């Protein structure tokens, strides 16, 4: 049973470009969470999605960031017009049910570097 | 809202020595508590969790943690550290019926041979 998959593992973008991060949840999981980790900091929640629905985006910056989890295919975290401050590790987690935080399984992360 | 404090940014121990990583939380009710480990370049792996019941929780890789309500603490322990335990350790607290844990800033464990 494959775990949570994220790609790419490393992504380099110039300022002003777009970054697309993908997350494939574990088989049987229909809930996806995105977190951002800045250097020497813990993970900060960004958004929680179910298939075709955004449940909670309270941690998402208001501009340039968006997320989706379509009926088919992986969840996508999209960052438009990236800036240096977007450089971070972005982690995706999935769970089989919603409403309980204890069964989140994390992917290996995408490390975004903005030059 | 809940919060987590991990007072030690770095901890250095010798291989074979015992380990205790500190975690203090702030939450008005009985929290859900977690410890995760993150190896370099990897995602987070759940070591153990506490929801209720026995306050001494056993986890994977020989780790355990004790919930002390009076001290608002959930310290992680291991009797004998192995070099492969070198990693970043995160404590997290979750509210009941909440899907989003709050993470501490992490403690980096360095193991000397």
């Amino acid at each position: 049973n494959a775990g949570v998959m994220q790609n790419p593992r490393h992504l380099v973008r110039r300022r002003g470009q777009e970054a697309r991060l993908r997350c494939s949840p574990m088989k049987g999981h229909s809930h996806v969470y995105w977190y951002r980790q800045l250097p020497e900091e813990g993970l900060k929640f960004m958004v929680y999605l179910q298939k075709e629905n955004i449940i909670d985006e309270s941690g998402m910056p208001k501009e340039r960031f968006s997320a989706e989890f379509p009926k088919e295919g992986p969840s996508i975290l999209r960052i438009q017009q990236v800036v240096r401050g977007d450089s971070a590790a972005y982690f995706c987690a999935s769970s089989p049910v919603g409403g309980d935080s204890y069964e989140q399984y994390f992917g290996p992360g995408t490390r975004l570097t903005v030059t | 809202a809940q919060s987590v404090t991990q007072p030690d940014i770095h901890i250095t121990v010798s291989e074979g020595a015992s380990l205790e990583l500190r975690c203090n939380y702030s939450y008005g009710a009985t929290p859900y508590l977690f410890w995760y480990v993150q190896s370099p370049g990897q995602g987070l792996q759940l070591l153990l969790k506490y929801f209720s019941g026995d306050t001494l929780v056993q986890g994977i890789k020989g780790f355990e943690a004790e919930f002390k309500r009076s001290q608002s603490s959930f310290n992680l322990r291991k009797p004998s550290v192995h070099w492969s335990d070198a990693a970043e350790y995160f404590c997290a607290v979750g509210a009941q019926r909440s899907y989003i844990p709050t993470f501490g800033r992490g403690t980096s464990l360095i193991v000397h041979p």
Side-chain angles (χ1 to χ4, degrees), chain A residues 6-109:
Chain A
Q6 290 187 249
N7 66 82
R9 294 291 305 276
H10 300 274
L11 182 62
V12 179
R13 284 288 179 265
R14 293 197 179 117
R15 280 180 298 169
Q17 291 184 320
E18 178 180 287
R20 285 195 176 213
L21 289 61
R22 296 176 191 80
C23 169
S24 296
M26 286 182 69
K27 186 176 180 180
H29 289 193
S30 58
H31 301 256
V32 166
Y33 314 79
W34 285 94
Y35 294 84
R36 177 164 60 177
Q37 183 181 33
L38 295 170
E40 299 187 358
E41 292 189 17
L43 275 68
K44 304 293 185 190
F45 166 74
M46 299 181 74
V47 63
Y48 163 38
L49 310 104
Q50 296 177 17
K51 287 281 188 181
E52 301 184 280
N53 284 304
I54 296 175
I55 306 303
D56 183 344
E57 57 182 347
S58 59
M60 286 275 273
K62 298 300 180 196
E63 299 177 347
R64 302 187 298 108
F65 285 72
S66 62
E68 62 176 7
F69 188 17
K71 186 176 181 180
E72 300 292 337
S75 175
I76 306 287
L77 179 67
R78 182 182 177 201
I79 311 172
Q80 296 178 293
Q81 299 175 329
V82 295
V83 300
R84 288 222 172 99
D86 297 332
S87 295
Y90 293 82
F91 290 94
C92 166
S94 72
S95 71
V97 295
D100 291 296
S101 58
Y102 58 94
E103 282 196 31
Q104 291 188 23
Y105 297 83
F106 284 82

Side-chain angles (χ1 to χ4, degrees), chain B residues 39-61:
Chain B
S39 297
Q42 300 299 314
L44 275 68
Q45 181 182 19
L46 181 65
L47 284 175
L48 47 79
K49 58 183 183 277
Y50 171 80
F51 295 147
S52 63
D54 193 345
T55 56
L56 185 62
V57 180
Q58 302 297 320
I60 62 171
K61 304 186 180 186

